[in-house]
Amino acid sequence: MTLGTLFPAESRTFRDPETNVRITQLTDHKAHSHHTYFTNPGWYDDGRRLLFASDRGNATNLYGLDLEGHEFRQLTDLPDAASVASNLFHSLSLNPHRAEAYFWHGRELVALDLVSLEQRVLHTTPARFGEGGTTNVTADGTSVMISCSEDLSDRLALDLGNGYVGFREYWEARPLSQILRVPVDGGDAEVVHEERAWIGHVNTSPTRPELLTFCHEGPWHLVDHRIWLLDLSTGGTTAIRPTAGTEMVGHEYWLEDGESIGFHGWTGGREQTGPFHGAVRHDGTGLWEAPLVESSMHYHSRDLDMIVGDGTKAAPRLMVWRREGDGFGPPRLLHRHRGSFHTQALHVHPTVSPDATQVLFTSDARGYGAVHLLDLPEDLGELPLVEP
């Protein structure tokens, strides 16, 4: 397998036996494949193609799939997986103004031309820091925003992508973390924020080039505060959706308007009881949230009229909620995905498509992680209610 190789379609289409919802399994190979993180959607070429990563040939590489014929092209030809994390494409991001993607390969931030497949190294993290964290592109397409945190592997046993090994210990160590702005056309990276806290999930507004969110990573019931806003025009940071008591919030993402930030949480602390979902404007106004029946590992939406969730390890199922007045209606079943959530590459991470007609997700229900697209029914009210 080499750069630019075109592969025939592996897809199969089936219907969920309980809901009759149509699902297309896009990849089918004896290796794990996964889509990009739900805050970094992989649709490109005006929505005609989709990025995914796959571990074929004992190496993790990036592929571009044609959403009409389902054939796909190998976009990278990286060294074997022994030297880099197996989920290195999770935080890949796309430039909204040109056919270019950005990903980490070890300590190198790489720009990939999605047409010519040429690569450029935009930035290399210093030895003090570990392999790169998240990436996200500003709304004007001029900069890649990245995060990096101190390398403490000489002190701690860490395997964060496979079972969160060392998760609490790394948070307790208060690693030096930075957020940097890297020009896509080349030039020195600029440190725009730095602190002694584990920083992750740098997410740029899709419409406001000066705004991004980041999180204080760590156990949700122990971090000082999870969701933060950074205004690049001033350098100021603001806590988003302050919590009190046993509340926890996280898995933040921008709604499609680029003005509001979605999130989910629980009122019951580490017991994760009292699930709720909501959103708030970047300036702290317009907070709206409502309780949910049933809980999920992750949620995603384009707005708050409809949200999707992926259930839990005990109940691995895709569900959908519709807003009804001042709250959400009862959850309705879309599909029992049977995903294991065993590693980051096997997290389901449901992602609503840009046109809100499909849900992209990963599931290893048949043994290997595979990328799927679910067609949302026109009338969600015809779906069966989720039974507790």
Side-chain angles (χ1 to χ4, degrees), residues 229-272:
L229 179 86
L230 172 61
D231 187 331
L232 294 171
S233 65
T234 65
T237 60
T238 307
I240 296 296
R241 180 33 176 102
T243 54
T246 61
E247 288 182 326
M248 303 188 304
V249 299
H251 287 152
E252 62 281 358
Y253 61 96
W254 288 91
L255 301 187
E256 63 182 351
D257 63 6
E259 298 286 338
S260 299
I261 300 152
F263 55 81
H264 77 102
W266 296 274
T267 58
R270 67 183 303 170
E271 299 303 319
Q272 295 187 358

Short mmCIF file of all heavy atoms in Angstrom, two decimals, residues 229-272:
data_model
loop_
_atom_site.label_atom_id
_atom_site.label_comp_id
_atom_site.label_asym_id
_atom_site.label_seq_id
_atom_site.Cartn_x
_atom_site.Cartn_y
_atom_site.Cartn_z
N LEU A 229 -12.93 29.74 27.56
CA LEU A 229 -12.90 30.48 26.31
C LEU A 229 -11.62 31.30 26.27
O LEU A 229 -11.23 31.92 27.26
CB LEU A 229 -14.10 31.42 26.19
CG LEU A 229 -14.13 32.25 24.90
CD1 LEU A 229 -14.80 31.47 23.79
CD2 LEU A 229 -14.84 33.59 25.13
N LEU A 230 -10.94 31.31 25.12
CA LEU A 230 -9.77 32.17 24.89
C LEU A 230 -10.09 33.12 23.75
O LEU A 230 -10.45 32.67 22.66
CB LEU A 230 -8.55 31.31 24.56
CG LEU A 230 -7.28 32.08 24.12
CD1 LEU A 230 -6.80 33.02 25.21
CD2 LEU A 230 -6.18 31.09 23.71
N ASP A 231 -9.97 34.40 24.01
CA ASP A 231 -10.15 35.43 22.99
C ASP A 231 -8.77 35.80 22.47
O ASP A 231 -7.97 36.42 23.19
CB ASP A 231 -10.86 36.65 23.58
CG ASP A 231 -11.23 37.69 22.53
OD1 ASP A 231 -10.53 37.77 21.50
OD2 ASP A 231 -12.21 38.42 22.76
N LEU A 232 -8.47 35.43 21.24
CA LEU A 232 -7.14 35.67 20.68
C LEU A 232 -6.86 37.15 20.47
O LEU A 232 -5.69 37.56 20.40
CB LEU A 232 -6.99 34.91 19.36
CG LEU A 232 -7.01 33.39 19.46
CD1 LEU A 232 -7.06 32.77 18.07
CD2 LEU A 232 -5.80 32.89 20.23
N SER A 233 -7.89 37.96 20.37
CA SER A 233 -7.68 39.40 20.16
C SER A 233 -7.22 40.11 21.42
O SER A 233 -6.59 41.17 21.36
CB SER A 233 -8.96 40.05 19.63
OG SER A 233 -10.00 39.99 20.59
N THR A 234 -7.53 39.53 22.59
CA THR A 234 -7.15 40.15 23.85
C THR A 234 -6.24 39.27 24.71
O THR A 234 -5.58 39.77 25.61
CB THR A 234 -8.39 40.49 24.68
OG1 THR A 234 -9.06 39.27 25.06
CG2 THR A 234 -9.36 41.36 23.88
N GLY A 235 -6.25 37.97 24.44
CA GLY A 235 -5.51 37.02 25.29
C GLY A 235 -6.25 36.65 26.54
O GLY A 235 -5.74 35.86 27.36
N GLY A 236 -7.45 37.17 26.73
CA GLY A 236 -8.21 36.90 27.95
C GLY A 236 -8.88 35.54 27.93
O GLY A 236 -9.29 35.04 26.87
N THR A 237 -9.03 34.94 29.10
CA THR A 237 -9.71 33.65 29.23
C THR A 237 -10.91 33.81 30.16
O THR A 237 -10.87 34.61 31.10
CB THR A 237 -8.77 32.56 29.79
OG1 THR A 237 -8.29 32.95 31.08
CG2 THR A 237 -7.60 32.34 28.85
N THR A 238 -11.96 33.04 29.89
CA THR A 238 -13.19 33.11 30.66
C THR A 238 -13.71 31.71 30.90
O THR A 238 -13.72 30.87 29.98
CB THR A 238 -14.27 33.91 29.90
OG1 THR A 238 -13.75 35.18 29.50
CG2 THR A 238 -15.51 34.10 30.77
N ALA A 239 -14.13 31.43 32.13
CA ALA A 239 -14.75 30.14 32.44
C ALA A 239 -16.14 30.09 31.81
O ALA A 239 -16.94 31.01 31.98
CB ALA A 239 -14.85 29.95 33.94
N ILE A 240 -16.42 29.02 31.08
CA ILE A 240 -17.71 28.83 30.41
C ILE A 240 -18.54 27.83 31.21
O ILE A 240 -18.07 26.74 31.53
CB ILE A 240 -17.50 28.34 28.97
CG1 ILE A 240 -16.78 29.40 28.14
CG2 ILE A 240 -18.85 27.98 28.32
CD1 ILE A 240 -17.54 30.69 27.95
N ARG A 241 -19.76 28.18 31.48
CA ARG A 241 -20.71 27.36 32.23
C ARG A 241 -20.10 26.91 33.58
O ARG A 241 -19.78 25.74 33.78
CB ARG A 241 -21.18 26.17 31.39
CG ARG A 241 -22.19 25.17 31.97
CD ARG A 241 -23.22 25.76 32.92
NE ARG A 241 -24.20 24.79 33.35
CZ ARG A 241 -24.18 24.18 34.55
NH1 ARG A 241 -23.23 24.44 35.41
NH2 ARG A 241 -25.15 23.33 34.86
N PRO A 242 -19.88 27.89 34.49
CA PRO A 242 -19.36 27.53 35.81
C PRO A 242 -20.23 26.47 36.48
O PRO A 242 -21.45 26.44 36.33
CB PRO A 242 -19.41 28.86 36.58
CG PRO A 242 -19.35 29.91 35.52
CD PRO A 242 -20.11 29.34 34.35
N THR A 243 -19.58 25.59 37.23
CA THR A 243 -20.29 24.50 37.89
C THR A 243 -20.28 24.73 39.40
O THR A 243 -19.46 25.47 39.94
CB THR A 243 -19.63 23.15 37.58
OG1 THR A 243 -18.23 23.21 37.90
CG2 THR A 243 -19.79 22.81 36.10
N ALA A 244 -21.20 24.05 40.07
CA ALA A 244 -21.30 24.17 41.52
C ALA A 244 -21.69 22.82 42.09
O ALA A 244 -22.35 22.00 41.43
CB ALA A 244 -22.33 25.22 41.90
N GLY A 245 -21.27 22.57 43.31
CA GLY A 245 -21.64 21.33 43.98
C GLY A 245 -21.10 20.12 43.26
O GLY A 245 -19.91 20.03 42.95
N THR A 246 -21.98 19.18 42.96
CA THR A 246 -21.57 17.93 42.30
C THR A 246 -21.74 17.98 40.79
O THR A 246 -21.67 16.95 40.12
CB THR A 246 -22.38 16.74 42.85
OG1 THR A 246 -23.78 16.96 42.58
CG2 THR A 246 -22.17 16.59 44.35
N GLU A 247 -21.96 19.17 40.22
CA GLU A 247 -22.12 19.28 38.76
C GLU A 247 -20.81 18.98 38.04
O GLU A 247 -19.73 19.32 38.52
CB GLU A 247 -22.58 20.68 38.38
CG GLU A 247 -24.02 21.01 38.73
CD GLU A 247 -24.39 22.40 38.26
OE1 GLU A 247 -23.52 23.30 38.27
OE2 GLU A 247 -25.55 22.58 37.88
N MET A 248 -20.92 18.39 36.87
CA MET A 248 -19.80 18.20 35.96
C MET A 248 -20.27 18.53 34.56
O MET A 248 -21.38 18.15 34.17
CB MET A 248 -19.29 16.75 35.97
CG MET A 248 -18.87 16.21 37.32
SD MET A 248 -18.08 14.58 37.19
CE MET A 248 -19.34 13.63 36.33
N VAL A 249 -19.47 19.25 33.78
CA VAL A 249 -19.79 19.51 32.37
C VAL A 249 -18.56 19.29 31.53
O VAL A 249 -17.42 19.39 32.01
CB VAL A 249 -20.32 20.95 32.14
CG1 VAL A 249 -21.60 21.20 32.90
CG2 VAL A 249 -19.27 21.98 32.52
N GLY A 250 -18.76 19.00 30.25
CA GLY A 250 -17.62 18.80 29.37
C GLY A 250 -18.04 18.37 27.98
O GLY A 250 -19.19 18.53 27.57
N HIS A 251 -17.07 17.78 27.24
CA HIS A 251 -17.25 17.39 25.84
C HIS A 251 -17.87 18.54 25.06
O HIS A 251 -18.81 18.38 24.27
CB HIS A 251 -18.10 16.12 25.73
CG HIS A 251 -17.35 14.90 26.14
ND1 HIS A 251 -17.96 13.78 26.65
CD2 HIS A 251 -16.02 14.61 26.12
CE1 HIS A 251 -17.05 12.86 26.93
NE2 HIS A 251 -15.86 13.34 26.62
N GLU A 252 -17.28 19.72 25.28
CA GLU A 252 -17.79 20.94 24.66
C GLU A 252 -17.54 20.95 23.16
O GLU A 252 -16.57 20.39 22.68
CB GLU A 252 -17.14 22.17 25.31
CG GLU A 252 -15.63 22.26 25.17
CD GLU A 252 -14.85 21.37 26.11
OE1 GLU A 252 -15.45 20.68 26.97
OE2 GLU A 252 -13.61 21.36 26.00
N TYR A 253 -18.42 21.61 22.43
CA TYR A 253 -18.28 21.75 20.98
C TYR A 253 -19.04 23.00 20.55
O TYR A 253 -19.99 23.43 21.21
CB TYR A 253 -18.82 20.51 20.25
CG TYR A 253 -20.28 20.23 20.47
CD1 TYR A 253 -21.25 20.68 19.58
CD2 TYR A 253 -20.72 19.52 21.60
CE1 TYR A 253 -22.59 20.43 19.78
CE2 TYR A 253 -22.06 19.26 21.81
CZ TYR A 253 -23.00 19.72 20.91
OH TYR A 253 -24.34 19.48 21.12
N TRP A 254 -18.63 23.59 19.44
CA TRP A 254 -19.31 24.79 18.92
C TRP A 254 -20.54 24.37 18.12
O TRP A 254 -20.49 23.44 17.31
CB TRP A 254 -18.38 25.59 18.02
CG TRP A 254 -17.29 26.29 18.76
CD1 TRP A 254 -16.04 25.81 19.03
CD2 TRP A 254 -17.35 27.60 19.33
NE1 TRP A 254 -15.32 26.75 19.75
CE2 TRP A 254 -16.10 27.86 19.93
CE3 TRP A 254 -18.34 28.60 19.38
CZ2 TRP A 254 -15.80 29.06 20.58
CZ3 TRP A 254 -18.05 29.79 20.03
CH2 TRP A 254 -16.80 30.01 20.62
N LEU A 255 -21.63 25.06 18.34
CA LEU A 255 -22.78 24.90 17.46
C LEU A 255 -22.45 25.56 16.13
O LEU A 255 -21.51 26.35 16.01
CB LEU A 255 -24.02 25.52 18.09
CG LEU A 255 -24.45 24.96 19.44
CD1 LEU A 255 -25.80 25.54 19.85
CD2 LEU A 255 -24.50 23.44 19.47
N GLU A 256 -23.21 25.25 15.11
CA GLU A 256 -22.85 25.68 13.76
C GLU A 256 -22.87 27.19 13.58
O GLU A 256 -22.24 27.71 12.66
CB GLU A 256 -23.75 25.01 12.72
CG GLU A 256 -25.22 25.37 12.81
CD GLU A 256 -26.04 24.62 11.76
OE1 GLU A 256 -25.43 23.99 10.88
OE2 GLU A 256 -27.28 24.67 11.82
N ASP A 257 -23.54 27.92 14.48
CA ASP A 257 -23.55 29.38 14.35
C ASP A 257 -22.22 30.00 14.78
O ASP A 257 -21.97 31.18 14.52
CB ASP A 257 -24.71 30.00 15.13
CG ASP A 257 -24.61 29.75 16.65
OD1 ASP A 257 -23.59 29.21 17.12
OD2 ASP A 257 -25.58 30.12 17.36
N GLY A 258 -21.35 29.23 15.44
CA GLY A 258 -20.06 29.75 15.88
C GLY A 258 -20.15 30.73 17.02
O GLY A 258 -19.14 31.33 17.41
N GLU A 259 -21.33 30.89 17.57
CA GLU A 259 -21.54 31.83 18.68
C GLU A 259 -21.77 31.12 20.00
O GLU A 259 -21.47 31.67 21.06
CB GLU A 259 -22.75 32.73 18.38
CG GLU A 259 -22.61 33.60 17.14
CD GLU A 259 -21.66 34.77 17.36
OE1 GLU A 259 -21.45 35.15 18.53
OE2 GLU A 259 -21.12 35.30 16.37
N SER A 260 -22.30 29.92 19.94
CA SER A 260 -22.67 29.18 21.14
C SER A 260 -21.90 27.88 21.27
O SER A 260 -21.49 27.29 20.26
CB SER A 260 -24.18 28.89 21.15
OG SER A 260 -24.92 30.10 21.15
N ILE A 261 -21.73 27.45 22.50
CA ILE A 261 -20.94 26.26 22.83
C ILE A 261 -21.86 25.22 23.46
O ILE A 261 -22.52 25.50 24.48
CB ILE A 261 -19.80 26.64 23.81
CG1 ILE A 261 -18.89 27.69 23.17
CG2 ILE A 261 -19.02 25.39 24.22
CD1 ILE A 261 -18.20 28.58 24.17
N GLY A 262 -21.94 24.05 22.84
CA GLY A 262 -22.72 22.96 23.40
C GLY A 262 -21.91 22.17 24.40
O GLY A 262 -20.68 22.12 24.34
N PHE A 263 -22.59 21.50 25.31
CA PHE A 263 -21.93 20.69 26.34
C PHE A 263 -22.94 19.72 26.92
O PHE A 263 -24.15 19.85 26.73
CB PHE A 263 -21.36 21.59 27.44
CG PHE A 263 -22.38 22.50 28.08
CD1 PHE A 263 -23.24 22.05 29.07
CD2 PHE A 263 -22.50 23.82 27.64
CE1 PHE A 263 -24.19 22.89 29.63
CE2 PHE A 263 -23.44 24.67 28.19
CZ PHE A 263 -24.29 24.19 29.19
N HIS A 264 -22.43 18.74 27.63
CA HIS A 264 -23.32 17.89 28.41
C HIS A 264 -22.72 17.71 29.80
O HIS A 264 -21.58 18.08 30.05
CB HIS A 264 -23.57 16.54 27.72
CG HIS A 264 -22.44 15.56 27.85
ND1 HIS A 264 -22.45 14.51 28.74
CD2 HIS A 264 -21.25 15.47 27.20
CE1 HIS A 264 -21.33 13.81 28.62
NE2 HIS A 264 -20.58 14.37 27.69
N GLY A 265 -23.50 17.16 30.71
CA GLY A 265 -22.98 16.98 32.05
C GLY A 265 -23.90 16.17 32.91
O GLY A 265 -24.89 15.59 32.45
N TRP A 266 -23.54 16.12 34.19
CA TRP A 266 -24.32 15.39 35.18
C TRP A 266 -24.39 16.24 36.45
O TRP A 266 -23.49 17.03 36.75
CB TRP A 266 -23.66 14.06 35.53
CG TRP A 266 -23.59 13.09 34.39
CD1 TRP A 266 -24.55 12.20 33.99
CD2 TRP A 266 -22.48 12.88 33.51
NE1 TRP A 266 -24.12 11.47 32.92
CE2 TRP A 266 -22.84 11.85 32.59
CE3 TRP A 266 -21.21 13.45 33.38
CZ2 TRP A 266 -22.00 11.41 31.59
CZ3 TRP A 266 -20.37 13.01 32.38
CH2 TRP A 266 -20.77 11.99 31.50
N THR A 267 -25.45 16.06 37.21
CA THR A 267 -25.57 16.74 38.49
C THR A 267 -25.08 15.87 39.63
O THR A 267 -24.98 16.34 40.76
CB THR A 267 -27.04 17.14 38.75
OG1 THR A 267 -27.85 15.95 38.72
CG2 THR A 267 -27.53 18.12 37.71
N GLY A 268 -24.76 14.63 39.35
CA GLY A 268 -24.42 13.69 40.42
C GLY A 268 -22.95 13.38 40.57
O GLY A 268 -22.59 12.33 41.09
N GLY A 269 -22.07 14.28 40.11
CA GLY A 269 -20.64 14.05 40.28
C GLY A 269 -20.19 12.78 39.60
O GLY A 269 -20.68 12.39 38.54
N ARG A 270 -19.24 12.08 40.23
CA ARG A 270 -18.66 10.90 39.60
C ARG A 270 -19.67 9.77 39.47
O ARG A 270 -19.45 8.81 38.73
CB ARG A 270 -17.43 10.44 40.37
CG ARG A 270 -17.69 9.91 41.76
CD ARG A 270 -16.37 9.55 42.45
NE ARG A 270 -15.62 8.58 41.66
CZ ARG A 270 -14.36 8.24 41.92
NH1 ARG A 270 -13.71 8.79 42.93
NH2 ARG A 270 -13.75 7.34 41.19
N GLU A 271 -20.80 9.85 40.17
CA GLU A 271 -21.84 8.84 40.01
C GLU A 271 -22.60 9.02 38.70
O GLU A 271 -23.35 8.14 38.28
CB GLU A 271 -22.83 8.91 41.19
CG GLU A 271 -22.20 8.65 42.55
CD GLU A 271 -21.49 7.32 42.63
OE1 GLU A 271 -22.04 6.32 42.10
OE2 GLU A 271 -20.39 7.26 43.22
N GLN A 272 -22.44 10.17 38.07
CA GLN A 272 -23.01 10.47 36.76
C GLN A 272 -24.53 10.24 36.72
O GLN A 272 -25.06 9.58 35.84
CB GLN A 272 -22.30 9.64 35.68
CG GLN A 272 -20.84 10.01 35.53
CD GLN A 272 -20.15 9.33 34.36
OE1 GLN A 272 -20.75 8.53 33.66
NE2 GLN A 272 -18.90 9.66 34.15
#
